[in-house]
Amino acid sequence: MNFHEIDKYLDNVLDHVKYIFDHNEIKEELKNHIMDKVEYLVIEGYDLSEAESIALKEMGDAKKIGKELNKQHNPIIGYIFSGSKVVIALLLIVNIFFLFQLAISPFFSSTIEKIDEKDIVYQVDINKEVVVDDLVIKFDELVLEKDNKLNLFFSQYTKSSLKQAVSITGFEIRDSEKNLYLDYFVSTIGGIISKSVLTIEDFPADKAFLTLHYEYYNRDFTIKVPLQEGEKDE
Amino acid sequence: MKINRGFIAGGTHLLLLTLLNKEDMYGYQIIGELANQTDNIFQFNEGTLYPVLHKLEKEGYLKSYKLKGENGRNRKYYQITKKGERQLVVEKEEWKVFFESMNRVVTYEFSWNW
């Protein structure tokens, strides 16, 4: 099914909402409404593309709705009235600072530091790509070092323009015994394709595999990586 | 007869607060409920419902929470607050006064014409 028209409509609405931190929330709510309507119309006997255009027509003018929503999603009032948004605003400031540092960093286009061959216990090629909305994440490889540091190398880039700088965090990482690893840190080097390495300290060398799980709204993926030397994931 | 109007026009606060005073509902459900109760007399631009809901939420008359629906989609439910309940009483009273005054004039006009 192709809901291109619906996405275009939602983008038109959101173009007028300046406060981007509410975009996902608004988009989800409006999209669910449209999808409910489309489902209803299909049950009523319309074909899908008819249902889609009727649903959109009955939503009303995207620009008008966007402008009205914009009045209700004012950043200043949002910051004052919503504690969580204050936190997000602070995070944004930290992020901007971080991006600024990246921009002036001499390492701007370099890659993440390679691990010395002699420190490697095992290395597993992953070569898997997942797409979450416009964000493409490519998991490159896993390297276990002799001091039990497990490093996951991955890169991210957005398919759309640089309208929104997105990056993904919040993987759930478990080993073959389902132990959850919460203590990890991620270092990222920017550019259009950002390179990241996620490091878990004190990772036991005897685990059979690792799963990476991500879930946010209705987006999710799970990747299972075997952890034996020489063994490759297909 | 069809009355074509958007949710942005006045008077909708009262409708929404009244509906949500009975039960928590999500946007699409509100549209359905309004259509049912009014025999589809209003032709809504459905999307214009959301700025009004968000406004009522921002002003503290409503709050919202999410539940996963049977189709796996997240539903954003709106619930009336104590402040909303008090506002509903005020707006109902205003509406009653407005309606009765209007009615007196119109009915008088009618009976005079008769």
Side-chain angles (χ1 to χ4, degrees):
Chain A
M1 283 194 279
N2 175 19
F3 295 114
H4 182 68
E5 285 303 313
I6 295 175
D7 285 330
K8 209 165 82 185
Y9 177 87
L10 293 169
D11 286 343
N12 284 342
V13 172
L14 292 174
D15 274 347
H16 299 280
V17 182
K18 306 280 184 286
Y19 188 53
I20 60 160
F21 301 105
D22 288 346
H23 275 198
N24 279 342
E25 180 98 14
I26 294 170
K27 190 170 182 173
E28 187 186 34
E29 190 175 34
L30 295 183
K31 188 166 189 168
N32 286 347
H33 183 117
I34 297 166
M35 297 308 290
D36 279 341
K37 184 92 181 192
V38 169
E39 272 174 20
Y40 164 78
L41 291 167
V42 167
I43 291 167
E44 289 287 290
Y46 291 92
D47 71 44
L48 197 59
S49 66
E50 271 178 316
E52 193 182 299
S53 64
I54 295 170
L56 290 179
K57 189 162 168 269
E58 297 196 352
M59 282 302 275
D61 182 33
K63 184 178 170 185
K64 185 175 164 195
I65 293 162
K67 283 187 164 174
E68 287 300 321
L69 281 169
N70 188 47
K71 289 181 200 163
Q72 307 312 326
H73 295 263
N74 179 308
I76 296 162
I77 293 170
Y79 292 150
I80 296 168
F81 283 96
S82 162
S84 64
K85 280 173 196 147
V86 174
V87 175
I88 290 168
L90 288 174
L91 285 176
L92 176 73
I93 291 164
V94 171
N95 263 325
I96 288 170
F97 180 70
F98 182 63
L99 286 173
F100 178 70
Q101 274 195 324
L102 275 178
I104 59 169
S105 159
F107 304 109
F108 185 71
S109 59
S110 80
T111 50
I112 297 249
E113 206 178 319
K114 279 276 174 205
I115 295 165
D116 201 326
E117 288 273 331
K118 65 183 194 307
D119 294 330
I120 296 177
V121 179
Y122 60 70
Q123 181 168 4
V124 185
D125 287 334
I126 309 174
N127 278 326
K128 274 203 172 155
E129 239 180 47
V130 292
V131 182
V132 177
D133 294 337
D134 281 347
L135 185 68
V136 181
I137 309 149
K138 186 170 171 289
F139 294 97
D140 301 313
E141 57 175 355
L142 260 178
V143 178
L144 184 73
E145 290 177 78
K146 283 189 177 135
D147 57 1
N148 283 54
K149 266 191 201 163
L150 185 73
N151 301 285
L152 168 67
F153 292 88
F154 63 101
S155 32
Q156 307 179 83
Y157 65 92
T158 50
K159 285 195 285 186
S160 61
S161 60
L162 296 171
K163 188 161 79 172
Q164 262 173 295
V166 228
S167 90
I168 198 162
T169 50
F171 306 122
E172 194 182 277
I173 302 170
R174 288 178 193 272
D175 63 26
S176 32
E177 273 81 55
K178 296 211 158 37
N179 298 310
L180 182 64
Y181 294 88
L182 292 171
D183 286 329
Y184 56 79
F185 58 90
V186 179
S187 52
T188 299
I189 284 178
I192 291 171
I193 298 178
S194 72
K195 294 267 186 191
S196 302
V197 57
L198 181 154
T199 308
I200 302 171
E201 308 262 2
D202 298 324
F203 187 83
D206 60 348
K207 300 298 179 196
F209 60 83
L210 190 82
T211 54
L212 298 163
H213 180 67
Y214 174 81
E215 194 172 338
Y216 181 71
Y217 285 127
N218 296 328
R219 303 145 179 97
D220 65 285
F221 63 78
T222 306
I223 290 181
K224 189 169 155 184
V225 189
L227 292 182
Q228 297 306 320
E229 190 174 7
E231 210 175 296
K232 300 271 160 84
D233 191 34
E234 75 273 284
Chain B
M1 183 180 70
K2 292 279 182 192
I3 300 169
N4 198 337
R5 53 177 295 170
F7 275 100
I8 292 158
T12 34
H13 290 188
L14 179 58
L15 274 177
L16 294 176
L17 290 173
T18 307
L19 285 175
L20 292 169
N21 196 36
K22 288 185 203 116
E23 63 172 303
D24 302 353
M25 283 191 253
Y26 55 93
Y28 185 73
Q29 194 184 1
I30 293 173
I31 301 276
E33 199 53 40
L34 279 174
N36 271 342
Q37 293 193 13
T38 60
D39 284 333
N40 288 314
I41 211 169
F42 296 118
Q43 287 188 322
F44 291 113
N45 283 328
E46 296 174 10
T48 56
L49 169 68
Y50 292 95
V52 184
L53 285 173
H54 294 187
K55 180 167 196 267
L56 290 171
E57 187 179 14
K58 197 172 85 180
E59 288 171 352
Y61 300 131
L62 300 179
K63 58 184 175 183
S64 66
Y65 59 92
K66 280 185 191 173
L67 278 184
K68 212 163 223 161
E70 67 290 341
N71 53 13
R73 285 198 281 271
N74 268 329
R75 305 248 186 242
K76 190 176 172 192
Y77 281 86
Y78 291 88
Q79 182 178 51
I80 195 164
T81 60
K82 286 271 168 274
K83 189 180 172 188
E85 286 170 9
R86 289 194 294 272
Q87 182 67 12
L88 176 58
V89 173
V90 173
E91 291 203 16
K92 245 183 193 159
E93 192 51 40
E94 282 175 4
W95 170 251
K96 211 174 124 198
V97 171
F98 171 79
F99 181 78
E100 281 168 2
S101 318
M102 192 84 176
N103 206 27
R104 268 199 301 276
V105 177
V106 175
T107 317
Y108 176 77
E109 183 76 6
F110 270 133
S111 50
W112 190 76
N113 275 341
W114 247 237

